[in-house]
Amino acid sequence: MLTGLALICVDALVPGGSWWWVGAAAGLGTFTHSLGDSLTRSGSPLWWPLRIRGCRWRSVGSPRAIRFTTGGMGERVAVALLFLAGAGCAYALAM
């Protein structure tokens, strides 16, 4: 039901019925989620099908100095900064 309501709202807001940006938003969301996972101490298998040092399932992460554990203070700070950035973007788009 919620998905149908969202589609009705998008259909009313998007002039000309152009839906290309839905796929772009989904792809960008998936990409940023994977990058966010790579910021944790566990890392993320970003290059999964490729072999890295003989392994196909190797976690790739950010530099160790900026990694954080999930549920810790580092994640809270990152979420707060991303929230502020998103609120700023929403405000800029509304103007």
Side-chain angles (χ1 to χ4, degrees):
M1 182 173 150
L2 188 59
T3 305
L5 181 63
L7 289 176
I8 291 169
C9 291
V10 167
D11 191 38
L13 294 174
V14 176
S18 177
W19 288 80
W20 66 268
W21 59 271
V22 175
L28 184 63
T30 302
F31 179 69
T32 56
H33 180 87
S34 297
L35 288 180
D37 281 347
S38 70
L39 289 174
T40 64
R41 290 194 192 265
S42 299
S44 178
L46 294 177
W47 310 111
W48 167 66
L50 302 177
R51 288 185 181 263
I52 299 174
R53 296 182 190 158
C55 298
R56 285 197 188 268
W57 190 263
R58 178 145 175 106
S59 291
V60 177
S62 57
R64 294 192 193 279
I66 63 172
R67 289 187 188 181
F68 54 85
T69 58
T70 54
M73 184 57 71
E75 183 180 25
R76 291 182 188 152
V77 169
V79 168
L81 290 174
L82 290 172
F83 176 78
L84 290 174
C89 289
Y91 178 75
L93 286 172
M95 295 309 284

